[in-house]
Amino acid sequence: MDRIRNAIVLLQGQLWLIPLLMSVSALVLAWWLLTSGAILLDGWNKDRLWWLFSGDASSARDLLSSLLSGLMTMTSLVVSVTFVILTLAANQLGPRLIATFMADRQIQSVLGLFLGTILYVLVVLRTLDEGLGTQGVPHIAVTAGSILTAVCVLALLFYVHKIARAIIADSVVARVATNLHNNIRSILPNEADGPERAVPDVVMNRSSAVALGRSGYIQVVDYEQLVSIACRANALLQVTVRAGHFVLQAGEHVIANSHHDLDKDIIESIRSAFIVDTDRTPAQDLEYGLRQLVEIALRAVSPGINDPFTAIAVLDRLGAALEEIFQRSLQPVVWRDKDGVVRVIAQRSDLTGLTNAAFDAIRQASSQLPTVLIRMADVLGQLAPVLRSDAMREGVVVQLAKVAETAKEAHLTPSDREAVLTRVEQASAAISAARKRPPLHCL
């Protein structure tokens, strides 16, 4: 399923896919209306067909030529605006967020509508000649071209509205946060059926280490395939990397514990269980969406932009994401075969690592911004009701201690430093008080 989800993510990020499908659909529609469109008019009273084009071939050619010219102009405008917006978004919010814009299905659909309509008009236009006469003109096909052009005009208004909102920082933050929440729900299981994470004591002889043999970002690790391989080799495989890591060609990426050396076929099978490519994807990587939000915040607090309010909006969304993570079970670390024998021990993100990934970089970049530090302390304190274990509390408490240390060492006015430390103390008190109360179950 992770391989399938990774493939879907890659396809969704392709700007050409939906426009291609819509263009093919437009060509099919043009062919059907030109060959069988007259069937749609059987049984209709011609007096009620006021909306149907009723001119001759020359009028139809002039009409479609004018529509085609206007469509080409609107399409050029849409493409130009798209590139301008992508450039602005890359400079202000980060180049890695361009993939989020490209994966927007509404943007892809508008581009597909314009391209499909252009192809439709071209196909219908080339069938018109002076010898058809009034009766031979495909009236329904010409009328459909006019309707599609009118839809394109309305779509242009929607597209301008969509693009205008697309460069608002809060809208981008909300969209990235929504994708992050969807990714969390697809990756992490519910607490009721939590997977095994405690690594058992297994003593076996280390036989060899396997390098993946290619460099890049790990997108997916097929742990079920690794379990099957470990069963065939009667071995225990320790995976030292995870999705989101960048690996070099050489390294101890998988350590095999067995009583014999692995043969070449087993080694190649192990390598085939890893999908390594040039980009990170969210298929198995929990930190992917967190880092996208963090990048927006880092851009916002940079001296060139100096927008702490966007950073505060990011902190709010990071708090909501961690709240959902804390209410779920993390990814499994131990994989067993059908007989219950431990076959694979994986490296996975833990709660402390996820908390650090969410707040460390923002805290380090905002050492001179007490407003951001205060909000960070508040968000950490708001997580108190969902901290159900010592591991959860440890990650949040350690992060609060880092915020206090940053405030003490930063060049802040005494009043600002005192304000930050006061919020840290309030957050710590909230966590201590919540520890004594029954756990909160959110619906």
Side-chain angles (χ1 to χ4, degrees), residues 51-69:
W51 48 269
L52 185 68
F53 177 80
S54 57
D56 56 13
S58 177
S59 300
R61 289 183 62 87
D62 292 340
L63 174 61
L64 292 182
S65 298
S66 300
L67 295 180
L68 181 60
S69 177

Side-chain angles (χ1 to χ4, degrees), residues 196-203 236 333-336 342 344-345:
E196 184 177 0
R197 289 189 60 85
V199 179
D201 295 329
V202 180
V203 179
L236 168 64
V333 171
V334 178
W335 293 76
R336 300 175 181 267
V342 177
V344 175
I345 298 177

